Amino acid sequence: MNKEHVSSQFDSNLAAIRLKLLEMGGKVELMVSKSMKSIVERDSELAEQVVAMDAEVNRLEMEIDEKCLHLLALRQPAARDLRFVTLALKTVVDLERIGDECVNIAKRAVELNREPQLKPYIDLPRMAEAAASAVQAALDAFVRQDVQAALAVCRADTPSDELHDQLQRELIGFMVTDPAVVQRALAISCISKFLKRIADHATNIAEMVVFMVDGVNVRHARPASQP
Amino acid sequence: MRSKVVGIQSVVVLAFAAVLCGYEQRLFGVGGALLLTASIVVCSTYLLAQVGTRPLRAVAAMASRIGKGEISTRLPAVTDPQVAELARVINEMAAKTEAQLDRLEAEKNRLDAILRGMGEGIMVADPQGSITLVNPAFKGLFGLQDEVEGRLLIDISRHPALHESFRDILSSRQERVEELQLHSPKERSLLVHWVPLVECGVVTGVVAVFHDISDIRQMEKMRRDFVANVSHELRTPITIIKGYAETLLAGALEHPTQATKFVNIMYSHADRLASLVSDLLTLSQLESGAIPLETRSVKVQEIAEHVVALLERKIRERGIKVDLSGLKGAPCVMADPGRLEQVIVNLLDNAVKYTPAGGSVTLSATDREEGVIIAVQDTGIGIPSKDLPRIFERFYRVDSARSRDEGGTGLGLSIVKHIVQLQGGTVSVQSNGQGSTFFVTLNRAESTYSGTIAAAAAPH
Ligand SMILES: Nc1ncnc2c1ncn2[C@@H]1O[C@H](COP(=O)(O)OP(=O)(O)OP(=O)(O)O)[C@@H](O)[C@H]1O
Ligand SMILES: [Mg+2]
């Protein structure tokens, strides 16, 4: 992190937080990909795995939180290091939420897999793909401290919204024509919403990366007003 | 490897330094003594200084060049016996070191070549998780372009299983082999061989060898699917036939109208069973090359007309228009007529089966340099692009429920592909939501390419 830091203890604390954060990110990425596979491949066993992984992610959140607070209290980091710790504290929340959304998806998957497939899943995998790559791109931007890549993640959340709206319209069509499918259509609708939220959390993470590297807050800012 | 060479270099430099220091101290002693007697024999002091320090300085300068890496530098001969001895020792050391370095360099090059040429990905990391060595295959598997050495494992891949194993190997110090399912940058199955590096009871790093077994897993899955599919396809008609036979035995035979109905159902399922078994048999014969092919010059149009006559009822029931005008005047192809008929039956059957009423199917032939391209084009439901690459696989069906309702087994296209390939041809498919087109390319019977295009609809 900060090369001028004299205290190697401090640096190794920061490095440990960074390592844990990325490990947590890796777990969450796997949850995203498994939860979606559990739907597309109708594999409820994968869904169970996702649910089981959540506990581990929650544990990591607490661990990182604790490490950050400890560092804040004992070392009073400044400037970029402080921004890094801020990022870590906020990002674990987003990552943990993504994990929760994956659990939600997995639970719906188990429900859906018990019944015949309502329709071929086309938009859903696309949305999942978009959400998964947003999470991946945000974490990659963090690894490389790449502001441009992070800003790209912030800008890219619109296609996911479009797919979501399109899918909602299609599902309403299904529900109107056949009341028997309402349950399943609603489940798919929820999954679409969960995926949208995952993409939103990825955007939050990307914004924090910009903040950490540049010290600029891009949240609530329109793209035009970005430096 | 590099750090080892650097290490040896610095040892060499240190050794030189030690030798030189010893000599200089002794020389200072000599110099001191000389200074004491300087007032007595100025001349001899001068002389000694001439023969003593000048060559020594030269020796020092050369040694320092050797130390800096110009390892092939050698000291010139000097007259002073003491300095000559020093020069000889240094020269010997330099020569030995040079040989050593050459050997190391050669070894390193050989290792580099091996690592580069290996299909397996290799990664070496220190206990802190910092990567010290990878080969190109590793970078390929993990989709890495930039320099990897010196970066942290977590920055290269966040896959949880990778880090869990890494930590486990560090603490257990046990070798192990396990499978890793990568999902990024591509779905891959890797077999990973983990080996801890232990030197004098201390773990100094971890070596991991990654073997890509995706193809093997894929093939295993296909074989499993095949067996499962065959059993499933066979079981359905057998269960039905058995059920009705039991009902008949239980008394239904006494009621002629019922009995006739049941026997009819049994007959249709036995028929399906027979066609399934014959398809399977055909496939296995095609695969083992046991079917003799009698290729001769064949008119595509004649065969197609015959096929349309065979499928006439189905085509009429479905309300599909079949257009053969694109085959008029098509050049003859080299094929086994019976087999070519089988190919066209399968393609036309599919086209009719997967096209809603009112649609049309168009057959055409194009004369091209590479052969005659027969196209079967329909206006049906089309094939999603994600299924296109697998459509010719055995039992592969886009929508298995729908296809099975139609009495399909998913073997038709794989039979088509086999037959065509056995005759030296190729098959391909295009679909864009507005129906599908299957292409079969076969060798022309006349050896010269006339260049006349027989059909209007040429594939793009
Ligand atoms: N013309 C077509 N239009 C749309 N889909 C097609 C077409 N031809 C083939 N397919 C798809 O490809 C799959 C495989 O075709 P294939 O002919 O191998 O099997 P099948 O028709 O299901 O069974 P059968 O063994 O009885 O031919 C079909 O199940 C269908 O989904
Ligand atoms: Mg078929």
Side-chain angles (χ1 to χ4, degrees):
Chain A
M1 270 105 259
N2 193 339
K3 288 199 183 75
E4 285 135 62
H5 251 288
V6 270
S7 159
S8 66
Q9 170 72 36
F10 179 79
D11 277 350
S12 78
N13 282 342
L14 286 179
I17 292 174
R18 184 173 179 278
L19 181 75
K20 285 280 167 212
L21 192 64
L22 285 172
E23 271 185 27
M24 184 177 173
K27 287 221 158 68
V28 168
E29 283 177 290
L30 192 60
M31 286 174 82
V32 175
S33 109
K34 280 192 175 179
S35 63
M36 207 51 228
K37 253 200 206 161
S38 73
I39 292 180
V40 177
E41 293 175 11
R42 296 177 66 82
D43 185 343
S44 296
E45 198 179 300
L46 279 177
E48 312 280 345
Q49 289 176 18
V50 172
V51 177
M53 281 177 82
D54 193 45
E56 178 69 3
V57 167
N58 291 347
R59 197 193 56 70
L60 274 167
E61 183 198 11
M62 307 231 301
E63 187 184 334
I64 296 168
D65 245 11
E66 215 166 277
K67 279 196 156 80
C68 286
L69 294 176
H70 193 78
L71 200 73
L72 281 178
L74 290 182
R75 308 267 173 178
Q76 282 105 32
R80 200 180 167 124
D81 292 340
L82 179 59
R83 295 205 300 273
F84 168 76
V85 177
T86 315
L87 168 135
L89 279 169
K90 288 198 184 250
T91 298
V92 286
V93 178
D94 282 305
L95 286 175
E96 196 269 333
R97 296 269 162 79
I98 296 177
D100 289 347
E101 302 298 355
C102 291
V103 171
N104 287 335
I105 294 175
K107 284 182 176 157
R108 300 296 147 124
V110 175
E111 276 171 38
L112 279 172
N113 294 349
R114 275 200 287 262
E115 305 208 25
Q117 191 161 353
L118 174 61
K119 66 184 222 66
Y121 300 132
I122 297 166
D123 291 328
L124 226 43
R126 273 198 213 142
M127 283 185 71
E129 191 70 40
S133 58
V135 176
Q136 187 182 351
L139 290 171
D140 282 345
F142 169 69
V143 166
R144 295 162 179 271
Q145 316 236 326
D146 186 338
V147 175
Q148 288 313 315
L151 286 172
V153 177
C154 301
R155 280 191 300 265
D157 59 353
T158 26
S160 182
D161 290 353
E162 265 165 37
L163 282 171
H164 175 75
D165 296 343
Q166 186 182 319
L167 186 61
Q168 297 303 329
R169 279 195 298 275
E170 192 188 348
L171 289 171
I172 290 171
F174 270 104
M175 291 191 265
V176 170
T177 44
D178 182 4
V181 304
V182 168
Q183 194 83 31
R184 274 170 284 163
L186 279 177
I188 295 178
S189 160
C190 284
I191 291 171
S192 152
K193 207 178 322 145
F194 299 146
L195 286 172
K196 201 169 106 105
R197 287 205 208 127
I198 291 180
D200 290 345
H201 288 300
T203 308
N204 289 348
I205 296 174
E207 283 167 356
M208 286 312 295
V209 172
V210 177
F211 165 71
M212 177 188 76
V213 180
D214 278 0
V216 185
N217 200 333
V218 288
R219 283 174 303 162
H220 316 301
R222 280 175 303 133
S225 63
Q226 278 162 15
Chain B
M1 207 59 230
R2 161 152 300 145
S3 68
K4 224 173 189 174
V5 174
V6 169
I8 287 181
Q9 260 172 356
S10 47
V11 166
V12 171
V13 171
L14 278 178
F16 281 144
V19 170
L20 282 180
C21 276
Y23 255 88
E24 236 154 79
Q25 259 171 14
R26 269 162 70 186
L27 199 86
F28 269 125
V30 174
L34 287 178
L35 272 169
L36 279 176
T37 51
S39 54
I40 310 164
V41 198
V42 180
C43 212
S44 61
T45 316
Y46 177 75
L47 259 169
L48 261 174
Q50 277 295 308
V51 295
T53 54
R54 259 241 230 96
L56 200 59
R57 234 181 260 137
V59 169
M62 292 304 239
S64 131
R65 276 175 61 188
I66 295 172
K68 281 188 187 121
E70 292 175 45
I71 199 81
S72 44
T73 309
R74 292 290 177 275
L75 301 175
V78 273
T79 39
D80 180 276
Q82 260 189 341
V83 180
E85 171 68 7
L86 171 65
R88 194 187 57 75
V89 172
I90 292 178
N91 274 343
E92 224 166 67
M93 269 173 78
K96 266 197 196 133
T97 314
E98 191 180 5
Q100 185 93 344
L101 278 178
D102 281 350
R103 225 195 56 230
L104 279 174
E105 185 68 23
E107 214 162 82
K108 175 182 164 345
N109 285 342
R110 217 179 56 206
L111 236 131
D112 268 359
I114 294 173
L115 285 178
R116 252 200 322 276
M118 266 176 87
E120 284 86 3
I122 295 211
M123 184 220 46
V124 186
D126 69 15
Q128 283 72 45
S130 180
I131 294 177
T132 51
L133 181 128
V134 295
N135 67 345
F138 175 86
K139 288 172 124 186
L141 287 176
F142 286 82
L144 306 163
Q145 265 108 46
D146 318 344
E147 184 79 17
V148 173
E149 278 97 345
R151 289 170 68 191
L152 290 172
L153 184 56
I154 191 87
D155 291 347
I156 298 305
S157 168
R158 289 185 291 272
H159 198 295
L162 203 63
H163 298 279
E164 271 155 35
S165 302
F166 182 76
R167 263 197 300 268
D168 279 3
I169 302 303
L170 279 182
S171 58
S172 72
R173 302 176 172 203
Q174 300 269 307
E175 254 185 70
R176 110 160 124 191
V177 180
E178 67 192 4
E179 217 173 306
L180 179 71
Q181 213 62 43
L182 275 194
H183 53 99
S184 152
K186 234 179 92 181
E187 288 283 341
R188 275 201 178 101
S189 305
L190 302 179
L191 196 68
V192 194
H193 194 152
W194 293 93
V195 183
L197 291 173
V198 183
E199 273 168 41
C200 312
V202 182
V203 186
T204 56
V206 172
V207 180
V209 183
F210 300 83
H211 184 62
D212 191 349
I213 53 167
S214 313
D215 289 348
I216 301 173
R217 287 283 172 273
Q218 175 71 23
M219 246 150 71
E220 279 172 3
K221 188 173 175 298
M222 269 170 67
R223 201 173 310 134
R224 262 201 317 274
D225 288 355
F226 181 74
V227 174
N229 278 320
V230 170
S231 335
H232 181 88
E233 298 295 339
L234 291 176
R235 201 180 50 209
T236 318
I238 289 175
T239 322
I240 292 171
I241 292 170
K242 209 173 137 209
Y244 281 106
E246 273 165 13
T247 321
L248 285 173
L249 286 175
L253 267 178
E254 316 293 325
H255 310 278
T257 41
Q258 248 188 359
T260 318
K261 200 176 127 204
F262 289 172
V263 172
N264 263 324
I265 297 173
M266 286 166 72
Y267 178 78
S268 85
H269 282 279
D271 201 35
R272 182 168 151 66
L273 205 56
S275 80
L276 179 67
V277 172
S278 98
D279 274 0
L280 281 172
L281 220 64
T282 309
L283 253 187
S284 83
Q285 283 172 337
L286 285 169
E287 277 182 353
S288 63
I291 293 188
L293 287 173
E294 289 166 31
T295 51
R296 56 184 174 82
S297 175
V298 182
K299 277 211 174 80
V300 181
Q301 192 185 358
E302 272 173 20
I303 304 238
E305 277 164 1
H306 186 224
V307 171
V308 172
L310 278 177
L311 297 177
E312 153 55 78
R313 213 178 113 192
K314 191 168 185 177
I315 295 170
R316 197 162 15 89
E317 277 172 9
R318 298 258 174 174
I320 308 278
K321 199 172 125 316
V322 178
D323 179 7
L324 295 185
S325 57
L327 293 176
K328 248 186 220 109
C332 292
V333 295
M334 280 308 283
D336 178 323
R339 295 291 155 195
L340 182 58
E341 181 181 307
Q342 211 172 354
V343 166
I344 296 182
V345 164
N346 270 302
L347 293 180
L348 191 60
D349 176 67
N350 282 349
V352 171
K353 199 154 61 172
Y354 302 107
T355 300
S360 63
V361 180
T362 314
L363 271 77
S364 59
T366 322
D367 197 7
R368 284 283 170 81
E369 208 169 337
E370 65 268 25
V372 178
I373 304 175
I374 304 167
V376 181
Q377 184 173 18
D378 64 49
T379 58
I381 57 171
I383 301 165
S385 52
K386 73 169 173 33
D387 296 302
L388 283 176
R390 302 192 55 191
I391 205 82
F392 289 100
E393 282 175 22
R394 296 179 297 196
F395 291 117
Y396 194 85
R397 286 173 292 210
V398 174
D399 178 355
S400 44
R402 181 193 167 122
S403 169
R404 205 172 294 128
D405 288 346
E406 305 272 359
T409 58
L411 290 175
L413 285 179
S414 65
I415 290 178
V416 165
K417 183 179 164 189
H418 267 101
I419 293 177
V420 173
Q421 284 180 346
L422 278 180
Q423 314 197 8
T426 56
V427 289
S428 63
V429 57
Q430 276 175 13
S431 183
N432 51 12
Q434 298 284 312
S436 330
T437 310
F438 285 83
F439 300 104
V440 171
T441 309
L442 287 169
N443 292 325
R444 206 180 9 264
E446 305 89 60
S447 50
T448 50
Y449 167 51
S450 61
T452 52
I453 308 297
H460 310 291

